[in-house]
Coordinates of all heavy atoms in Angstrom, one line a residue:
A109 N 9.1 3.9 32.4 CA 10.3 4.4 31.7 C 10.0 5.1 30.3 O 10.8 5.3 29.6 CB 11.2 3.2 31.5
R110 N 8.7 5.4 30.1 CA 8.2 5.9 28.9 C 8.8 7.2 28.6 O 9.3 7.6 27.5 CB 6.7 6.0 28.8 CG 6.2 6.6 27.5 CD 4.6 6.5 27.5 NE 4.2 7.2 26.4 CZ 4.0 6.7 25.2 NH1 4.4 5.5 25.0 NH2 3.6 7.4 24.1
S111 N 8.9 8.1 29.6 CA 9.6 9.5 29.5 C 11.0 9.4 29.1 O 11.5 10.1 28.1 CB 9.4 10.2 30.8 OG 8.1 10.4 31.1
M112 N 11.8 8.4 29.7 CA 13.1 8.3 29.3 C 13.3 7.8 27.9 O 14.2 8.2 27.1 CB 13.8 7.3 30.3 CG 15.3 7.2 30.1 SD 16.1 6.1 31.3 CE 15.3 4.6 30.8
I113 N 12.5 6.9 27.5 CA 12.6 6.4 26.1 C 12.1 7.4 25.1 O 12.8 7.6 24.0 CB 11.6 5.2 25.9 CG1 12.0 4.1 26.9 CG2 11.6 4.6 24.5 CD1 13.4 3.5 26.6
N114 N 11.2 8.3 25.4 CA 10.8 9.4 24.6 C 11.9 10.4 24.5 O 12.2 10.9 23.4 CB 9.6 10.1 25.1 CG 8.3 9.3 24.7 OD1 8.3 8.7 23.7 ND2 7.3 9.5 25.6
L115 N 12.7 10.6 25.5 CA 13.9 11.5 25.5 C 14.9 10.9 24.6 O 15.5 11.7 23.9 CB 14.4 11.7 26.9 CG 15.5 12.8 27.1 CD1 15.1 14.1 26.6 CD2 15.9 12.8 28.5
L116 N 15.1 9.7 24.7 CA 16.1 9.0 23.8 C 15.7 9.2 22.3 O 16.5 9.3 21.4 CB 16.2 7.5 24.2 CG 17.2 6.7 23.3 CD1 18.7 7.3 23.4 CD2 17.2 5.3 23.8
G117 N 14.4 9.1 22.0 CA 13.8 9.2 20.7 C 14.0 10.6 20.2 O 14.2 10.9 19.0
I118 N 14.0 11.6 21.0 CA 14.2 13.0 20.6 C 15.6 13.3 20.1 O 15.8 14.1 19.2 CB 13.8 14.1 21.8 CG1 12.4 14.0 22.1 CG2 14.4 15.4 21.4 CD1 12.1 14.8 23.4
T119 N 16.5 12.5 20.6 CA 17.9 12.7 20.1 C 18.0 12.2 18.6 O 19.0 12.5 17.9 CB 18.9 11.8 20.9 OG1 18.6 10.5 20.9 CG2 18.9 12.3 22.3
G120 N 17.0 11.5 18.1 CA 17.0 11.0 16.7 C 16.2 11.8 15.8 O 16.0 11.5 14.6
H121 N 15.5 12.9 16.3 CA 14.5 13.7 15.5 C 15.3 14.6 14.6 O 16.4 15.0 14.8 CB 13.7 14.6 16.4 CG 12.4 14.0 16.9 ND1 11.4 13.7 16.0 CD2 11.9 13.6 18.1 CE1 10.4 13.2 16.7 NE2 10.7 13.0 17.9
G122 N 14.8 14.9 13.5 CA 15.5 15.7 12.4 C 15.6 17.1 12.7 O 16.6 17.8 12.4
I123 N 14.5 17.7 13.3 CA 14.5 19.2 13.6 C 15.6 19.5 14.6 O 16.4 20.5 14.3 CB 13.2 19.6 14.2 CG1 12.0 19.4 13.2 CG2 13.1 21.0 14.6 CD1 12.2 20.0 11.9
P124 N 15.9 18.9 15.7 CA 17.0 19.3 16.5 C 18.3 19.2 15.8 O 19.3 20.0 16.0 CB 17.0 18.4 17.7 CG 15.6 17.9 17.8 CD 15.0 17.9 16.4
W125 N 18.5 18.1 15.0 CA 19.8 18.0 14.2 C 20.0 19.1 13.2 O 21.1 19.6 13.1 CB 19.8 16.6 13.5 CG 20.2 15.5 14.5 CD1 19.5 14.6 15.1 CD2 21.6 15.2 14.9 NE1 20.2 13.8 15.9 CE2 21.5 14.2 15.8 CE3 22.8 15.8 14.6 CZ2 22.7 13.6 16.4 CZ3 24.0 15.3 15.2 CH2 23.9 14.2 16.1
I126 N 18.9 19.4 12.5 CA 19.0 20.5 11.5 C 19.2 21.8 12.2 O 20.2 22.6 11.7 CB 17.7 20.6 10.7 CG1 17.6 19.3 9.8 CG2 17.7 21.9 9.9 CD1 16.2 19.3 9.1
A127 N 18.7 22.1 13.3 CA 18.9 23.4 14.0 C 20.3 23.4 14.6 O 21.0 24.4 14.5 CB 17.9 23.5 15.2
G128 N 20.9 22.3 15.1 CA 22.2 22.3 15.6 C 23.2 22.4 14.5 O 24.3 23.0 14.7
T129 N 23.0 21.8 13.4 CA 23.9 22.0 12.2 C 23.9 23.3 11.7 O 25.0 23.9 11.3 CB 23.4 20.9 11.0 OG1 23.3 19.7 11.5 CG2 24.3 21.0 9.9
L130 N 22.8 24.1 11.7 CA 22.8 25.4 11.2 C 23.6 26.3 12.2 O 24.2 27.3 11.8 CB 21.3 26.0 11.0 CG 20.5 25.4 9.9 CD1 19.2 25.8 9.9 CD2 21.2 25.8 8.5
I131 N 23.3 26.1 13.5 CA 24.1 26.8 14.4 C 25.7 26.7 14.3 O 26.4 27.6 14.4 CB 23.6 26.6 15.9 CG1 22.2 27.0 16.1 CG2 24.5 27.2 16.9 CD1 21.4 26.5 17.3
C132 N 26.0 25.3 14.2 CA 27.5 25.1 14.1 C 28.0 25.7 12.8 O 29.2 26.1 12.7 CB 27.6 23.6 14.1 SG 27.4 22.8 15.7
L133 N 27.1 25.7 11.7 CA 27.6 26.2 10.4 C 27.9 27.7 10.6 O 28.8 28.4 9.9 CB 26.5 25.9 9.3 CG 26.9 26.3 7.9 CD1 28.2 25.5 7.5 CD2 25.8 26.0 7.0
V134 N 27.0 28.4 11.3 CA 27.1 29.9 11.5 C 28.4 30.2 12.3 O 29.2 31.2 11.9 CB 25.9 30.5 12.1 CG1 26.2 31.9 12.6 CG2 24.7 30.4 11.2
K135 N 28.7 29.4 13.2 CA 29.9 29.6 14.1 C 31.2 29.1 13.6 O 32.2 29.4 14.1 CB 29.6 29.0 15.5 CG 28.4 29.7 16.2 CD 28.3 29.2 17.7 CE 27.3 30.0 18.4 NZ 27.2 29.5 19.9
S136 N 31.1 28.3 12.6 CA 32.3 27.6 12.0 C 33.1 28.7 11.2 O 32.5 29.5 10.4 CB 32.0 26.4 11.1 OG 33.1 25.8 10.6
S137 N 34.4 28.6 11.3 CA 35.3 29.5 10.7 C 36.3 28.8 9.7 O 37.1 29.6 9.0 CB 36.1 30.3 11.6 OG 36.8 29.5 12.5
T138 N 36.3 27.5 9.6 CA 37.2 26.8 8.7 C 36.5 26.3 7.5 O 35.2 25.9 7.6 CB 37.8 25.6 9.5 OG1 36.8 24.7 9.9 CG2 38.5 26.1 10.8
L139 N 37.2 26.2 6.5 CA 36.6 25.7 5.2 C 36.2 24.3 5.3 O 35.1 23.8 4.8 CB 37.6 26.0 4.0 CG 37.9 27.5 3.7 CD1 38.9 27.6 2.6 CD2 36.6 28.3 3.3
A140 N 37.1 23.5 5.9 CA 36.9 22.0 6.0 C 35.6 21.8 6.9 O 34.8 20.9 6.6 CB 38.1 21.3 6.6
G141 N 35.5 22.6 8.0 CA 34.3 22.4 8.9 C 33.0 22.8 8.2 O 32.0 22.1 8.2
Q142 N 33.0 23.9 7.4 CA 31.8 24.3 6.7 C 31.5 23.3 5.6 O 30.3 23.0 5.3 CB 32.1 25.7 6.0 CG 32.2 26.8 7.1 CD 32.6 28.1 6.5 OE1 32.9 28.2 5.3 NE2 32.7 29.2 7.3
E143 N 32.5 22.7 5.0 CA 32.2 21.7 3.9 C 31.5 20.5 4.5 O 30.4 20.0 4.0 CB 33.5 21.2 3.3 CG 33.3 20.2 2.2 CD 34.6 19.7 1.6 OE1 35.7 20.3 1.9 OE2 34.6 18.7 0.8

Side-chain angles (χ1 to χ4, degrees):
R110 182 175 171 80
S111 300
M112 185 178 64
I113 299 299
N114 279 328
L115 184 62
L116 179 61
I118 291 175
T119 62
H121 271 290
I123 297 299
W125 277 101
I126 291 175
T129 304
L130 289 173
I131 294 171
C132 293
L133 187 60
V134 170
K135 293 186 176 182
S136 179
S137 58
T138 62
L139 296 177
Q142 291 176 355
E143 179 182 351

